Amino acid sequence: MNSPIFSLQEDLEALAELLSNPDAARQVGTYLQRIQTAPSRDQLGKWLEQVTGYVQALHDVNMLNEEQSILLRELVTRALMRNALK
């Protein structure tokens, strides 16, 4: 099995730089980890719904701009790809 181009650790570091609020960065990081390790499609769907809602809420309260939202979606996509590789 090939190792992914972007590790969870690298994505968590990028997340800390992307979000100025440490609590929000920690919460999204938890979602990324859970997405990556989800044992079933049902669990994966649950975590995807939760992170999507959380990111939308951050955007709604002006804690994220459009560019940050796009970058967060990229981090979620990477977590999904790592899940598929496990």
Side-chain angles (χ1 to χ4, degrees), residues 5-54:
I5 295 173
F6 297 101
S7 70
L8 177 62
Q9 186 60 40
E10 289 171 317
D11 286 352
L12 294 176
E13 291 169 8
L15 187 59
E17 293 177 23
L18 182 64
L19 297 175
S20 59
N21 182 307
D23 292 331
R26 190 171 19 262
Q27 184 62 47
V28 173
T30 298
Y31 288 132
L32 293 179
Q33 185 174 27
R34 289 178 177 167
I35 288 166
Q36 177 177 320
T37 60
S40 69
R41 290 185 89 44
D42 288 339
Q43 282 293 320
L44 184 60
K46 173 186 169 186
W47 295 124
L48 286 172
E49 286 178 23
Q50 288 192 10
V51 75
T52 299
Y54 190 76

